[in-house]
């Protein structure tokens, strides 16, 4: 009989009610644990895209700055130049006309990509016009995938396609937390 009483006391709360029952004398531990778990899931869900946003924002700012600080990148020809890169991928790209457009002014195209990456990165990090910034990032990634990394075989070794897919959740969801967009939306609601 003692063993039976011990098992009963292990599963009952103060006052003899089942643990977590929330009933008379019950502690409601299970209910509180579930509520805390649900709250944790809600917080995790709200912040789920933040690591992606930080990664893409930092990566694009870095990529743009890397181009701006490389004097050889903006040259029309030479190793590592934008012109040489475009000529090298012209015949293997999905849209050769897009490469031809870049080859009309390789230096201008290089600066457009570099400043575009920086603008997209800063907008993404700050959450300022976040959907527009993400769309810009997706378009940059798409254009680079269709030109520079199109010939990579198998396709999944090319990073531009992965970046394109990474931008899509931010295009759809925007920056709902820790963002200028959120701050401005809350400010409009208060008025």
């Amino acid at each position: 009989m003692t063993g039976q009483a011990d098992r009963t006391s292990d599963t009952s709360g103060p006052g003899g009610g089942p643990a977590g029952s929330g009933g008379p004398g019950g502690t409601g531990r299970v209910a509180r644990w579930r509520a805390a778990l649900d709250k944790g899931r809600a917080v995790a869900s709200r912040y789920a895209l933040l690591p992606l946003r930080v990664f893409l924002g930092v990566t694009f700012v870095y990529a743009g700055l890397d181009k701006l600080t490389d004097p050889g990148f903006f040259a029309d020809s030479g190793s590592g130049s934008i012109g040489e890169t475009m000529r090298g991928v012209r015949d293997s790209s999905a849209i050769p006309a897009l490469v031809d457009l870049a080859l009309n002014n390789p230096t201008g195209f290089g600066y457009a990509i570099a400043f575009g990456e920086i603008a997209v990165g800063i907008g993404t990090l700050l959450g300022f016009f976040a959907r527009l910034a993400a769309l810009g990032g997706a378009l940059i990634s798409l254009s680079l995938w269709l030109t520079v990394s199109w010939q990579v075989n198998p396709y999944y070794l090319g990073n531009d396609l992965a970046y394109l897919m990474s931008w899509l959740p931010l295009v759809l969801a925007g920056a709902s937390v820790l963002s200028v967009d959120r701050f401005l939306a809350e400010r409009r609601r208060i008025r």
Side-chain angles (χ1 to χ4, degrees), residues 73-150:
F73 177 77
F74 296 104
D76 186 34
S77 61
S79 179
S81 71
I82 185 69
E84 195 65 34
T85 301
M86 290 292 108
R87 279 188 285 285
V89 300
R90 197 249 175 238
D91 294 331
S92 62
S93 73
I95 306 176
L98 191 58
V99 177
D100 291 339
L101 185 64
L103 284 171
N104 286 336
N105 184 358
T107 302
F109 178 72
Y111 277 110
I113 291 292
F115 285 119
E117 287 173 336
I118 291 170
V120 161
I122 290 172
T124 301
L125 284 172
L126 296 177
F128 187 59
F129 290 105
R131 284 190 170 103
L132 183 61
L135 179 62
L139 291 174
I140 289 171
S141 297
L142 176 64
S143 67
L144 292 174
W145 176 54
L146 293 174
T147 56
V148 178
S149 63
W150 181 257

Side-chain angles (χ1 to χ4, degrees), residues 10-93:
D10 287 343
T11 60
S12 65
S21 67
T27 62
R29 281 181 281 174
V30 172
R32 285 195 305 273
W33 181 80
R34 284 185 180 154
L37 186 60
D38 288 344
K39 184 177 179 182
R41 286 180 182 156
V43 169
S45 180
R46 280 186 65 211
Y47 289 89
L49 292 178
L50 189 59
L52 182 63
R53 206 175 104 205
V54 170
F55 169 74
L56 289 172
V58 167
T59 300
F60 268 59
V61 168
Y62 178 79
L65 291 175
D66 189 46
K67 288 173 181 64
L68 289 176
T69 57
D70 179 2
F73 177 77
F74 296 104
D76 186 34
S77 61
S79 179
S81 71
I82 185 69
E84 195 65 34
T85 301
M86 290 292 108
R87 279 188 285 285
V89 300
R90 197 249 175 238
D91 294 331
S92 62
S93 73

